[in-house]
Amino acid sequence: MKEKITIPIGPQHPLLKEPISLRIDASGEEVLGGTLRLGYVHRGIEKLAESRTYTQNIPLIERICGICSHVHTTTFCYAVEALLGIEIPPRAQYIRALLCELERIHSHLLWLGVLAKHVGLETVFMHSWHDRELVLDIMEELSGGRVSHGINQIGGVRFDVDAEHHPMMADKMQKLHERITQFMQIFEREPSIKARTHGVAPLSADLIRQYGLAGPVARASGVDVDMRRDDPLPPYDRLDISVITHPDGDAWSRTYVRIYEIYESLLLCEKILQAIPEGNISVRARRKVPAGEVVVRSEAPRGEVVYYLRSNGTEYPARLKIRTPTLPALAIMPMQLAQIHVADIPVVLAGVDLCIACADR
Amino acid sequence: MDWFRRNTGLLPALIAALMKKPDTVSYPFTPLELPQGFRGAIIIDPEKCTGCALCVRDCPANALELFRESRENFRLIHFPGRCAYCGQCQDACRNDAISNSNQIVGATTDPDSLTLVLKDTQE
Amino acid sequence: MANKLMPEDFLRCVSAHTQQPCELTGHIINETAITIAADDLHDIVAALMEELNLTHLSAITAQQREDHPDEIQVMYHFWQGGGYTLIVWLPAAEPVLTSLMDIIIGADFYEREVAEMYGITITNREETPPLLLPDDWDEGPPMRRKEKSV
Amino acid sequence: MFEVLFYLLIFPGFLFLYLCSWLFEFLDRKLLARFQRRIGPPWYQPLADLIKLFSKEDLMPQGANEVVAIALPIVSLCAVLTAGIYVPVAGFSPESFEGDLIIVLFLLSIPTLAYYLAGVTSVGIYSLLGGARSLLQFFSYEVPLLIALSGPAVLAGSWSIQEIIARQSETGAFLLFQPLGFLLAMIGLIGKLKRDPLDIPKAKSEVVAGSLTEFTGVKLGFWHLVMNIQAVVGIFLIINLYIGWTSAGNPLLNISIFLIQWLAMILLLSTASAVFARLRIDQLAGLGWKILVPLSLLQLTVVILMGV
């Protein structure tokens, strides 16, 4: 049974939430390598954006990715506001940061469930997605939408954080804190999980630098980079963020980094809620944006997202380039597929935390 | 008891789960409680609507169209099938004529319900 | 890692490896940008990597501006504490770029996307299938089409 | 003649075993659902699934061996049902002779071999991989299982299950004498049934559905029946070998005691499936040969010394 076979992890596969086509060549249970094809969810968002006005573009950009929709609209709005030369009120900045952190918690909890399901622990999958409902309830109360919130507009935010939201958020976050400690205990002590994740598909720090990776996968290999601290958007420069890294860069350290990032984001949410200033939540913005170019970077749950926007004085953006964090993560995946078993493929795919809708745009 | 909680992995979580009521709800049979800001079907207040088409201009999904025969005769058509329920029309409208109700838009089989005449001055 | 790179040494290092005069054009907000010639792109990037340890290539943007209809602008966005961009102009008729894959492997996906979206042929790298477009795509580079979508 | 038909078709035969497997699948899925804070399926779900599968179109992949693909589920169903006849239920079994334990063990491992054959003859990488994995897994759990299950036979000094039961009613349940044997038997049963911690041959996220990826319609319905009845018969076997049976007066009481023992075993299996993550095939092989086999040999020697 040692002859070479190609295992198709094709567009439809229980492993994949979104369609990619991965051809793994293996001999028996040893994986030799993999070739990757993308483009199944390519909607040409960059071209679409050129034929819509800036306000019409916000719902479009929100639908690039189902999990990190708020980070995309926040980065886009900051880019347009930079071109307009306007400064949004501090309260709106804090509300945007609050939702960014809530979305990071929601994205990491979703990833925790997917990893548990791939490792064979259906119960942890169900429990973590059950606890994720707490975060989704908070976001739904704040903005009316569980996933695509539609809270951002050019010049600020559309909905305010009222007084009665605070107790609800505080109590839900407290419950979430206990559940995360429970998950951490399970993941640290459960021998069968440790057996499946320790030492699987390690990534060295200079390999990460060569591929230009930032985000949880990079931090899990010891590369200390975090856009919220190194190139901060407005409210983050006033908040101190502790960046979690882990030295040895295998599937377990990626799990460790992401779980502790949930703790960190919970802490950040509390800080934001305490430090949120009073005042109005949006500023009137002109519809025609003066000609100019801008590049804005921010920290999405999966890493660094880069927006390049050029305006030519009309209501329509002249060019919008979006580089999402999953692209370099997908580029590095074949390196991880070289020395693992067939049974480890799900753990590697979960470790990369694929968001194909982001990668294909 | 503390040793048991720390060292038996998932068991305490399972026992706790058995105690509690299941959290999934069988949706069509038990109604879902929706948050206050939920953006559902589009509704309009005909008196307030002046036919200025600000909402048509800001709709990202071309789900609103305005046919204007003369200065005071116009028809505002809404296409629920195309609408993304993003609430941009609600923001764009200066005199709060159009807004999102919090009633979930169900699937439909008859094509006529896909073109909704929100306001027609001739009628 | 993220000690901020001074724009002056960025300019000094770039101009040390090219004959044309180059100066910091401040026209992109949050970025220090320099326009360079296409053929000394490769050794400028190599120099930047050794001397200033500027290895993090964030993105490669290509565009066809309305005021330069017969040229394609390609921008290499680097990052180290702040944004640093190298701008290259290519003739729109037959745009050619040298690949940076031999020094930055991460440039692979970005180059493939720019190549298929703008029809740029990229030299000294092996032939690869399109990244995002279907294999049987024959209607030319999509991003260079002018018609507006509804 | 009529009595034989009754035994074959009604009491320990098909109808009784099917009803038990129905109850088993419902309880297992409901319990797992409640562990996961879900409502879980209604009581008629297993029957509904069976009817749905039987009414589905029966596809046959091109190039697959039709005869084998159809014969395998039927053969393994017959094997499992005949095994069900010899395993006593609440102390009663229509036929019992010296050596029927070995027959039952052999009949219970026919579905695993059929599963391997189904994987190899069917077309497609996933079935091939699933089949290969089920064979690999077969070797790593079958040896400790057989040794563990032969423990009670050695203690009772006979290979007939009725004798073992009779012996236990005198000396008390063998579970007390060899708890390690009971644990190994449970692990072996989980491996044989391909249940959750050891569902490597049909791991959803690695090999889609293992050998059964290409099976649809009636064939898949039969396979589900085989898996469920195999689980029921396996649990009956372990109950008889380790807890034995002392009749308690009227039949109603007998049935309820046996039912309680059965429900306790299902609870044990469901908790195991909810608590552990799936192992890799090489880890399972390592676990099997480095830990399970020596333990079962140790258990056997202890039992032999105790028995003499």
Side-chain angles (χ1 to χ4, degrees):
Chain A
M1 246 297 280
K2 277 300 171 223
E3 87 286 356
K4 238 160 82 66
I5 47 172
T6 358
I7 303 168
I9 303 199
Q12 275 77 31
H13 191 276
L15 202 53
L16 303 169
K17 304 192 290 297
E18 291 155 309
I20 59 173
S21 116
L22 188 60
R23 292 295 174 266
I24 307 270
D25 355 317
S27 84
E29 282 283 329
E30 299 304 322
V31 174
L32 307 175
T35 55
L36 183 70
R37 288 301 305 275
L38 298 177
Y40 294 89
V41 197
H42 175 61
R43 297 147 286 178
I45 295 242
E46 293 171 4
K47 194 67 182 171
L48 284 176
E50 283 165 15
S51 44
R52 278 167 177 66
T53 68
Y54 288 101
T55 30
Q56 281 178 332
N57 266 331
I58 292 181
L60 170 71
I61 285 183
E62 201 169 44
R63 278 146 179 88
I64 287 180
C65 159
I67 312 170
C68 48
S69 66
H70 180 73
V71 165
H72 282 288
T73 44
T74 308
T75 324
F76 178 72
C77 286
Y78 275 125
V80 178
E81 281 139 17
L83 288 174
L84 280 168
I86 57 174
E87 176 81 11
I88 67 171
R91 187 173 177 81
Q93 290 170 355
Y94 274 84
I95 293 179
R96 277 186 184 168
L98 174 70
L99 267 147
C100 275
E101 291 313 317
L102 286 173
E103 196 162 66
R104 201 182 316 282
I105 299 171
H106 144 66
S107 166
H108 284 339
L109 274 174
L110 182 137
W111 156 84
L112 188 73
V114 166
L115 174 72
K117 187 161 76 70
H118 289 170
V119 160
L121 263 176
E122 289 279 333
T123 5
V124 173
F125 164 59
M126 289 294 175
H127 284 187
S128 78
W129 279 42
H130 169 254
D131 299 335
R132 182 174 146 251
E133 288 303 313
L134 290 170
V135 183
L136 292 178
D137 289 347
I138 297 177
M139 287 198 269
E140 199 173 25
E141 285 299 323
L142 286 184
S143 64
R146 284 163 57 94
V147 175
S148 43
H149 319 299
I151 196 168
N152 267 327
Q153 73 181 20
I154 296 169
V157 277
R158 283 162 54 177
F159 313 109
D160 200 347
V161 177
D162 313 334
E164 91 271 0
H165 285 145
H166 283 274
M168 174 270 292
M169 279 198 275
D171 126 65
K172 285 200 156 112
M173 279 195 224
Q174 175 50 28
K175 271 200 221 126
L176 209 56
H177 203 276
E178 294 142 21
R179 299 274 173 69
I180 305 293
T181 14
Q182 223 180 21
F183 280 130
M184 198 54 207
Q185 272 166 11
I186 293 170
F187 267 80
E188 261 168 1
R189 279 200 191 69
E190 182 54 49
S192 48
I193 295 180
K194 276 161 95 172
R196 286 299 300 274
T197 50
H198 274 269
V200 170
L203 280 175
S204 68
D206 59 5
L207 198 65
I208 295 275
R209 281 198 194 89
Q210 268 172 25
Y211 276 86
L213 220 60
V217 182
R219 291 191 281 272
S221 305
V223 176
D224 179 8
V225 61
D226 188 329
M227 282 304 152
R228 294 174 292 179
R229 183 199 57 191
D230 304 338
D231 195 346
L233 287 172
Y236 285 109
D237 42 17
R238 299 192 281 275
L239 299 161
D240 54 356
I241 295 133
S242 65
V243 179
I244 298 118
T245 59
H246 193 279
D248 43 18
D250 59 359
W252 164 249
S253 48
R254 285 190 274 279
T255 314
Y256 174 88
V257 162
R258 287 202 178 97
I259 291 184
Y260 273 93
E261 268 185 14
I262 302 179
Y263 278 124
E264 179 56 32
S265 291
L266 274 172
L267 218 60
L268 263 176
C269 284
E270 271 131 31
K271 281 186 205 154
I272 289 170
L273 282 176
Q274 277 140 23
I276 193 162
E278 288 312 315
N280 55 22
I281 52 173
S282 74
V283 161
R284 259 199 66 65
R286 291 195 309 279
R287 292 185 66 84
K288 286 187 162 52
V289 179
E293 296 170 56
V294 68
V295 172
V296 179
R297 289 179 172 81
S298 71
E299 178 73 18
R302 279 165 195 73
E304 168 207 19
V305 68
V306 181
Y307 266 66
Y308 165 82
L309 177 65
R310 178 168 67 86
S311 58
N312 51 13
T314 65
E315 277 180 327
Y316 297 84
R319 170 72 168 116
L320 173 68
K321 164 71 183 174
I322 303 157
R323 203 279 288 168
T324 49
T326 320
L327 217 53
L330 280 173
I332 210 167
M333 200 158 62
M335 312 299 297
Q336 296 175 303
L337 292 177
Q339 352 85 355
I340 53 166
H341 301 276
V342 169
D344 287 331
I345 295 172
V347 177
V348 166
L349 281 182
V352 172
D353 194 358
L354 296 174
C355 177
I356 307 299
C358 269
D360 287 355
R361 288 177 313 276
Chain B
M1 190 49 190
D2 188 43
W3 176 88
F4 173 77
R5 186 181 308 283
R6 257 185 303 99
N7 287 64
T8 50
L10 266 166
L11 225 46
L14 295 188
I15 295 164
L18 273 185
M19 304 297 176
K20 299 196 186 77
K21 212 165 49 56
D23 201 42
T24 46
V25 69
S26 41
Y27 163 58
F29 312 112
T30 49
L32 268 181
E33 2 59 65
L34 295 169
Q36 160 258 350
F38 180 75
R39 291 187 290 277
I42 301 287
I43 49 173
I44 191 160
D45 179 350
E47 287 78 25
K48 290 190 187 154
C49 173
T50 61
C52 64
L54 273 178
C55 54
V56 175
R57 195 180 56 174
D58 264 357
C59 175
N62 311 95
L64 283 166
E65 262 161 38
L66 190 90
F67 300 100
R68 184 172 281 283
E69 282 88 17
S70 70
R71 234 190 55 72
E72 40 327 290
N73 287 353
F74 63 88
R75 258 198 349 245
L76 184 64
I77 312 282
H78 169 56
F79 303 98
R82 299 189 207 156
C83 181
Y85 304 100
C86 58
Q88 292 276 13
C89 48
Q90 190 175 331
D91 281 0
C93 185
R94 291 218 177 87
N95 28 35
D96 298 338
I98 196 165
S99 64
N100 291 75
S101 70
N102 63 358
Q103 177 235 352
I104 295 180
V105 182
T108 168
T109 47
D110 69 350
D112 312 340
S113 76
L114 286 183
T115 41
L116 196 62
V117 179
L118 290 180
K119 172 164 183 178
D120 187 348
T121 46
Q122 261 92 12
E123 249 155 45
Chain C
M1 164 195 157
N3 39 30
K4 196 143 172 32
L5 177 65
M6 282 306 122
E8 296 74 23
D9 358 324
F10 179 64
L11 174 64
R12 181 180 40 72
C13 174
V14 168
S15 46
H17 290 79
T18 166
Q19 285 68 31
Q20 289 113 338
C22 40
E23 22 79 35
L24 293 176
T25 55
H27 64 293
I28 304 181
I29 308 171
N30 311 355
E31 294 273 306
T32 34
I34 297 177
T35 311
I36 54 172
D39 30 25
D40 45 16
L41 166 76
H42 190 276
D43 34 9
I44 284 182
V45 171
L48 282 173
M49 282 178 66
E50 290 116 23
E51 289 158 26
L52 304 174
N53 184 16
L54 189 64
T55 56
H56 185 79
L57 173 64
S58 283
I60 302 178
T61 320
Q63 61 181 325
Q64 194 166 16
R65 308 173 75 126
E66 319 77 70
D67 40 15
H68 303 270
D70 51 4
E71 273 183 318
I72 289 184
Q73 179 185 28
V74 181
M75 304 183 188
Y76 290 77
H77 304 284
F78 289 87
W79 180 82
Q80 187 177 338
Y84 302 89
T85 308
L86 295 173
I87 302 175
V88 172
W89 289 89
L90 303 173
E94 25 85 31
V96 172
L97 268 175
T98 52
S99 163
L100 298 178
M101 267 187 66
D102 46 358
I103 39 177
I104 310 175
I105 312 172
D108 175 21
F109 274 23
Y110 310 146
E111 282 175 356
R112 276 165 67 179
E113 186 190 341
V114 160
E116 70 197 19
M117 289 295 167
Y118 279 86
I120 300 170
T121 50
I122 298 192
T123 55
N124 75 36
R125 61 169 292 169
E126 81 283 358
E127 197 47 42
T128 47
L131 183 69
L132 299 175
L133 294 178
D135 293 350
D136 53 8
W137 176 265
D138 49 14
E139 287 145 31
M143 288 299 276
R144 288 172 69 162
R145 296 154 68 127
K146 289 290 169 269
E147 60 270 30
K148 288 237 184 264
S149 77
V150 160
Chain D
M1 182 48 196
F2 172 71
E3 206 182 54
V4 168
L5 268 186
F6 173 79
Y7 289 143
L8 273 182
L9 290 183
I10 309 295
F11 176 60
F14 176 73
L15 192 63
F16 170 73
L17 283 178
Y18 175 68
L19 288 178
C20 284
S21 80
W22 177 344
L23 186 60
F24 168 76
E25 186 181 352
F26 165 65
L27 280 178
D28 184 33
R29 283 168 66 172
K30 192 78 171 179
L31 205 56
L32 201 58
R34 280 298 154 83
F35 277 143
Q36 299 170 352
R37 304 286 306 269
R38 292 183 287 118
I39 293 178
W43 60 272
Y44 48 79
Q45 191 64 42
L47 181 63
D49 288 349
L50 208 64
I51 294 170
K52 175 203 76 176
L53 279 179
F54 277 16
S55 59
K56 274 273 174 72
E57 183 198 0
D58 193 347
L59 298 174
M60 181 63 73
Q62 226 180 9
N65 187 327
E66 282 92 0
V67 173
V68 171
I70 294 168
L72 283 179
I74 297 167
V75 162
S76 31
L77 186 63
C78 305
V80 167
L81 285 175
T82 30
I85 304 281
Y86 290 106
V87 173
V89 172
F92 163 77
S93 77
E95 183 58 43
S96 144
F97 53 91
E98 189 57 31
D100 59 9
L101 173 59
I102 299 171
I103 298 256
V104 164
L105 288 179
F106 168 69
L107 287 173
L108 276 182
S109 47
I110 285 186
T112 319
L113 299 179
Y115 187 88
Y116 164 70
L117 273 179
V120 169
T121 56
S122 162
V123 179
I125 292 286
Y126 299 128
S127 332
L128 206 67
L129 266 177
R133 283 176 166 208
S134 72
L135 205 58
L136 267 170
Q137 175 166 325
F138 178 78
F139 291 120
S140 42
Y141 76 77
E142 193 69 16
V143 172
L145 178 65
L146 291 184
I147 297 173
L149 288 183
S150 57
V154 166
L155 216 54
S158 110
W159 283 99
S160 140
I161 304 179
Q162 286 292 358
E163 294 303 325
I164 296 172
I165 295 177
R167 198 72 163 63
Q168 284 185 53
S169 52
E170 291 147 19
T171 67
F174 283 165
L175 174 60
L176 313 175
F177 299 102
Q178 39 180 329
L180 182 59
F182 176 76
L183 187 67
L184 289 175
M186 285 304 284
I187 295 172
L189 182 66
I190 290 176
K192 184 190 278 292
L193 305 176
K194 303 188 213 12
R195 281 180 60 82
D196 214 13
L198 305 177
D199 63 345
I200 299 160
K202 58 182 177 71
K204 196 155 37 75
S205 49
E206 287 147 29
V207 282
V208 185
S211 305
L212 304 185
T213 321
E214 312 287 342
F215 280 71
T216 55
V218 182
K219 298 199 294 292
L220 192 57
F222 267 96
W223 271 112
H224 280 184
L225 257 180
V226 165
M227 299 245 184
N228 286 329
I229 295 180
Q230 187 185 18
V232 166
V233 171
I235 293 176
F236 284 169
L237 185 66
I238 290 191
I239 289 176
N240 288 325
L241 290 187
Y242 280 95
I243 303 165
W245 181 254
T246 49
S247 173
N250 60 58
L252 196 60
L253 205 54
N254 285 353
I255 292 291
S256 49
I257 292 172
F258 192 79
L259 202 61
I260 290 162
Q261 288 168 356
W262 189 50
L263 293 182
M265 293 290 281
I266 294 177
L267 181 70
L268 216 60
L269 277 179
S270 289
T271 325
S273 87
V275 168
F276 295 113
R278 184 187 311 125
L279 293 177
R280 281 202 310 254
I281 191 72
D282 53 313
Q283 287 166 342
L284 176 65
L287 180 83
W289 290 105
K290 293 205 192 79
I291 300 165
L292 294 186
V293 168
L295 273 182
S296 51
L297 288 178
L298 166 77
Q299 173 66 52
L300 197 60
T301 42
V302 161
V303 159
I304 292 168
L305 297 182
M306 208 178 354
V308 112

